[in-house]
Amino acid sequence: MKNAHQKAKTNKRIVIAVCLAAIAGTGYATTATATPEKPVRSQQASTLLDAGYESGGLDSGIPGLTTTHAKASDASAIESGGDGSARSVSHKVTLNNPDYVSDGAPRSESANNKIEKSLIHVGDVHRYEFSVMLKDWETSKGGAGDIIFQGKHAGGNKPSFYLMAKRNEIAFRSPLLDLQATVVDDLRPHFDEWMQFRIDVRWTEDKTGYYKVSVQLPGEKDFTLKKTYTDVNTFHPENPTDFGYIKWGLYRPASSTEAGDPATRVVQHDNIRVIDLGAS
């Protein structure tokens, strides 16, 4: 009788195991199955912009891509060699020279402001990736930063965020929120080398947004998260606007030769991507 009872219990355990296996096979979770804290979202992601400059044109072969407005013939150029590719784009600014002035300031930049699907709207969750090389860079004695990438509100508004090379570091800044953090401590070992950046943004008009800034320096195998700001209002223009966009290149709004900043700067960019991460 005892053996029969044990046999029944064994059979019951086998039946339960088979049932659980069948349930798992249908995709339903059981209490014994570990569930990730957040679902994998890679299947939701889609690329909205991919500028790699392999076309050989300043617009990277993308209709509507805005190129520099500076008049100098070398304000922007296609360069041989990129970050793992054959070509990249350069932007050059020489202070005190009107040919390197665009929209009233010393700058040379490209932008996606006319590429509708890659624009910024409230509710978007975007990833911005790019590679940058500080070409023949010189350490500055001045305190001003040279902006190399922006998330910009349309209509002449200040940026939501930007990355700037400042003295010996690269810093992330959100000017209207008065946020600033160093994300590369020392640039000097990486002059003339490709650095990769990733900025994830949830675009909100209330304090449910976020910025997440990651960096991959030469020799590193993957990105490292450097700074996170959560519970912030990321879509916050000073003047009314319903969209934003990104700009990459070189913008030197406060640089000055009198303060000890080099007259000429050149940056190269490659692999500029806007990725829609879907809901989060």
Side-chain angles (χ1 to χ4, degrees):
M1 187 72 178
K2 183 177 180 180
N3 289 340
H5 181 65
Q6 289 176 336
K7 184 175 181 180
K9 288 177 66 178
T10 299
N11 289 340
K12 184 177 180 180
R13 285 197 297 269
I14 292 172
V15 170
I16 291 172
V18 170
C19 290
L20 289 174
I23 291 171
T26 65
Y28 294 102
T30 70
T31 55
T33 303
T35 303
E37 185 176 309
K38 290 184 178 181
V40 176
R41 297 169 54 215
S42 59
Q43 293 181 349
Q44 300 177 15
S46 61
T47 300
L48 307 178
L49 177 74
D50 189 352
Y53 293 95
E54 297 306 286
S55 72
L58 289 175
D59 65 355
S60 192
I62 301 171
L65 189 75
T66 298
T67 57
T68 184
H69 293 158
K71 295 186 296 183
S73 60
D74 61 350
S76 186
I78 297 300
E79 305 290 346
S80 296
D83 187 11
S85 61
R87 296 181 180 88
S88 57
V89 67
S90 68
H91 293 87
K92 175 181 177 180
V93 174
T94 298
L95 299 175
N96 310 318
N97 186 329
D99 288 346
Y100 296 92
V101 170
S102 175
D103 301 322
R107 69 175 120 204
S108 179
E109 296 175 294
S110 298
N112 72 328
N113 57 308
K114 295 182 180 179
I115 304 174
E116 176 63 35
K117 70 175 183 178
S118 66
L119 297 180
I120 297 164
H121 298 96
V122 175
D124 290 337
V125 183
H126 284 177
R127 169 168 291 171
Y128 304 100
E129 291 185 343
F130 69 95
S131 301
V132 67
M133 177 192 291
L134 305 179
K135 186 67 175 173
D136 300 326
W137 207 258
E138 299 177 49
T139 300
S140 175
K141 296 178 182 178
D146 295 313
I147 295 172
I148 58 175
F149 192 90
Q150 302 185 57
K152 186 85 167 61
H153 299 303
N157 287 283
K158 289 181 181 177
S160 168
F161 72 87
Y162 57 77
L163 286 174
M164 62 178 173
K166 182 179 180 181
R167 290 182 177 155
N168 296 329
E169 66 181 37
I170 288 183
F172 171 89
R173 186 162 188 246
S174 180
L176 289 173
L177 298 180
D178 197 26
L179 305 174
Q180 184 168 316
T182 298
V183 294
V184 176
D185 294 324
D186 192 352
L187 287 174
R188 290 170 294 182
H190 307 301
F191 291 166
D192 301 309
E193 295 182 337
W194 287 104
M195 298 175 284
Q196 296 176 302
F197 292 85
R198 173 184 290 168
I199 305 165
D200 292 350
V201 187
R202 179 194 285 162
W203 293 104
T204 64
E205 292 180 305
D206 58 18
K207 291 186 178 181
T208 60
Y210 60 69
Y211 298 112
K212 300 177 182 179
V213 187
S214 301
V215 181
Q216 185 175 353
L217 295 175
E220 297 179 347
K221 295 182 178 179
D222 207 346
F223 284 93
T224 299
L225 181 64
K226 293 292 186 177
K227 186 64 181 180
T228 298
Y229 293 106
T230 58
D231 303 321
V232 291
N233 176 352
T234 51
F235 196 95
H236 54 309
E238 296 171 298
N239 305 307
T241 188
D242 59 0
F243 76 96
Y245 56 97
I246 60 169
K247 303 177 78 174
W248 57 98
L250 189 57
Y251 177 29
R252 310 185 66 188
S255 295
S256 164
T257 53
E258 289 80 7
D261 296 313
T264 297
R265 294 271 203 213
V266 179
V267 297
Q268 290 179 228
H269 284 77
D270 198 10
N271 304 324
I272 298 95
R273 299 187 181 95
V274 178
I275 300 167
D276 179 8
L277 296 178
S280 69

